[in-house]
Amino acid sequence: MKQTGIAVIGGGPAGLSAALEAARLGARVTLIDSEDRPGGQLVKQTHKFFGSRKQQAGVRGIDIAARLAREAVSLPGLEVWSRATVLGYYDDRVLAVERGGEFVKLRAERAIVATGASEKVLAFPNNDLPGVYGAGAVQTLMNLHGVKPGKNVLMVGAGNIGLIVSYQLRQAGVNVKAIVEAAPRIGGYLVHAAKVRRAGIRIYTGHTVKRAYGRDGVEGAVIWRLDRNWEPVPGTEKDFEVDVICLAVGLSPLADLLWQAGCRMRYIPELGGHVPERGRDLETSIPGLYVAGDVAGVEEASSAMVEGRLAGLMAAAGLGYAPADLVAVKEELHNQLAALRSGPTGVKIRQGLAQLGEPYNAN
Amino acid sequence: MLRIQEHPILRFQKGRPVRFYFDGKELEGYEGEPIAAALHAAGVKVLRESARFYRPRGFYCAIGNCSSCLMIVDGEPNVRVCTEKLREGVRVQTQRGKGDLRQIKAGEGN
Ligand SMILES: Cc1cc2nc3c(=O)[nH]c(=O)nc-3n(C[C@H](O)[C@H](O)[C@H](O)COP(=O)(O)OP(=O)(O)OC[C@H]3O[C@@H](n4cnc5c(N)ncnc54)[C@H](O)[C@@H]3O)c2cc1C
């Protein structure tokens, strides 16, 4: 059986930040990520990031990922396992890992789960046809592998992801016929909405998909209007000839591992679904098991990075690697999180965290 | 042509071109890219038939989470082709219904 001080599960911005923080403090860290290279969602983000200066707003996601990953591989004490998937976490602090087709056991004194989120789906007739893809899938295909998802796309969802991916589709030379949004208003930031409108893409707010059609794949989609009570209005149907329906209808925490480990979980829609109870310093109901990033509540890369640092700091401190000014460093991170969650864009997160209860559980 | 030829921000580093087989038909793709990406670029979107109602299925998440893209690869069923890498000469087949592990012949698959 292999041994490590801190196992970090997931190599997105949260996991990378956690691993870097803990290793810099002197802890022995193993970062385990299922992809070819660390970076998580960031490796597909060609746009310049929003957020605050401290969290590298204005830098492209792909460049943030590359920088964090470079730092990770050059740091002694930090080992990166790519193409490795954590399958289970057990009472004796042992992780079961599938690595390159082999089964490996890893005992870790502390573990940080930073597995991110998975995409939600939307129910409508024929939503299982080939050509109905998640926005993340479209990004992966297009921005990592250089393959277009199709010729004509109907985007569903005008949150930030729907808007950004629509723009990215345009960059790749794919036609976006329209964006459909069930809510009466655009959910994403207005800068992104302005960008897609300038590109000539029409956004239909207060509309949803009635059905998709096609034989062996999507050949078209019918949308219709929703009234004030979110009831569809017959007679308002519009038909789009598209070969792709791209769903950007939100994410939910990828929390399987937390369920399996036996963490106390709560259903909080504002945070994307089932999330773990955790103390203010991100320790779950299982001592020594921490969370950070989207798996703890769907948010943004900026807050994921700060949460990662906090979890890394606390896990390392628990093993005797606390910095002399632990309390000050910790409070600074809490302040950064509070700043990121302030203002109108942070309302949902604040409400979600409030529902978890102060200080987020009974720890 | 679904391969992106020009992109304002990204450059794509591709492996060498390789041949592979989809239901016996010879296709071309790049070594190391996901099998699903190579198939998609070649115009193949239906990857399997659903187990109960035999409906066509393609990929959905493209990152190995959802199991929508299970195919038979070199005789081994239930392979997630959205993450399985393309190799020279690999034989990919449409999976109909549930995969049957007993189909794996000695020496095939891995
Ligand atoms: C289109 C789009 C645009 C965005 N734009 C912005 C923006 O402008 N600004 C911003 O701040 N945020 C943005 N975000 C959000 C941001 O990308 C995410 O909030 C952030 O990536 C979450 O980080 P994370 O580390 O929690 O998870 P992820 O980045 O999802 O990383 C999780 C990693 O864990 C791995 N993993 C999962 N399970 C396992 C397992 N069992 N074993 C091993 N590895 C595992 C995954 O493969 C992945 O690599 C955007 C997101 C999208 C999709």
Side-chain angles (χ1 to χ4, degrees), chain A residues 263-280:
Chain A
C263 291
R264 273 209 305 275
M265 307 289 291
R266 295 265 299 279
Y267 184 72
I268 314 269
E270 285 84 349
L271 299 179
H274 280 97
V275 293
E277 290 187 5
R278 69 290 188 139
R280 191 164 172 261

Side-chain angles (χ1 to χ4, degrees), chain A residues 180 205-211 222-226 231-238:
Chain A
V180 186
T205 52
H207 279 74
T208 192
V209 180
K210 182 181 185 191
R211 62 186 181 94
V222 179
I223 68 168
W224 54 358
R225 196 159 60 76
L226 296 173
E231 292 296 332
V233 184
T236 60
E237 287 90 345
K238 285 189 185 64

Side-chain angles (χ1 to χ4, degrees), chain A residues 49-314:
Chain A
F49 262 48
F50 45 84
S52 83
R53 310 125 299 273
K54 273 206 182 94
Q55 286 79 33
Q56 328 196 22
V59 183
R60 292 186 202 281
I62 41 176
D63 298 329
I64 302 176
R67 211 213 62 213
L68 290 173
R70 249 195 329 273
E71 282 172 35
V73 293
S74 63
L75 200 63
L78 170 51
E79 199 182 335
V80 180
W81 293 6
S82 284
R83 285 177 293 275
T85 304
V86 176
L87 308 169
Y89 177 84
Y90 299 94
D91 289 346
D92 46 2
R93 302 195 172 184
V94 172
L95 294 169
V97 188
E98 185 269 324
R99 190 185 185 195
E102 308 239 313
F103 182 74
V104 187
K105 286 194 275 185
L106 175 70
R107 189 192 301 278
E109 292 168 67
R110 298 285 183 278
I112 300 170
V113 176
T115 46
S118 64
E119 300 192 271
K120 291 182 179 165
V121 287
L122 189 69
F124 53 83
N126 294 324
N127 72 349
D128 64 337
L129 279 178
V132 179
Y133 303 132
V138 164
Q139 280 196 307
T140 304
L141 192 70
M142 173 170 83
N143 293 350
L144 281 187
H145 306 302
V147 178
K148 301 176 197 179
K151 295 190 178 72
N152 293 296
V153 177
L154 179 73
M155 178 65 67
V156 184
N160 279 321
I161 295 182
L163 296 174
I164 290 168
V165 175
S166 295
Y167 192 73
Q168 291 179 353
L169 280 159
R170 266 300 168 80
Q171 282 180 330
V174 181
N175 186 23
V176 180
K177 286 225 163 161
I179 302 176
V180 186
E181 166 62 56
R185 250 171 276 111
I186 292 165
Y189 296 163
L190 288 176
V191 276
H192 295 310
K195 227 168 161 184
V196 302
R197 281 194 169 129
R198 273 200 303 279
I201 303 170
R202 170 136 188 224
I203 304 173
Y204 290 88
T205 52
H207 279 74
T208 192
V209 180
K210 182 181 185 191
R211 62 186 181 94
Y213 58 87
R215 228 177 63 89
D216 289 325
V218 173
E219 290 164 27
V222 179
I223 68 168
W224 54 358
R225 196 159 60 76
L226 296 173
D227 68 17
R228 244 180 252 164
N229 304 314
W230 296 69
E231 292 296 332
V233 184
T236 60
E237 287 90 345
K238 285 189 185 64
D239 193 323
F240 292 93
E241 263 182 48
V242 292
D243 55 349
V244 176
I245 298 173
C246 182
L247 300 183
V249 291
L251 300 163
S252 53
L254 195 59
D256 317 35
L257 209 53
L258 299 172
W259 282 106
Q260 178 273 333
C263 291
R264 273 209 305 275
M265 307 289 291
R266 295 265 299 279
Y267 184 72
I268 314 269
E270 285 84 349
L271 299 179
H274 280 97
V275 293
E277 290 187 5
R278 69 290 188 139
R280 191 164 172 261
D281 294 335
L282 300 174
E283 193 170 15
T284 64
S285 60
I286 296 177
L289 186 64
Y290 293 79
V291 285
D294 279 355
V295 73
V298 173
E299 228 175 315
E300 287 176 357
S302 37
S303 41
M305 288 187 276
V306 182
E307 283 197 340
R309 287 192 56 198
L310 181 60
L313 174 75
M314 297 316 291

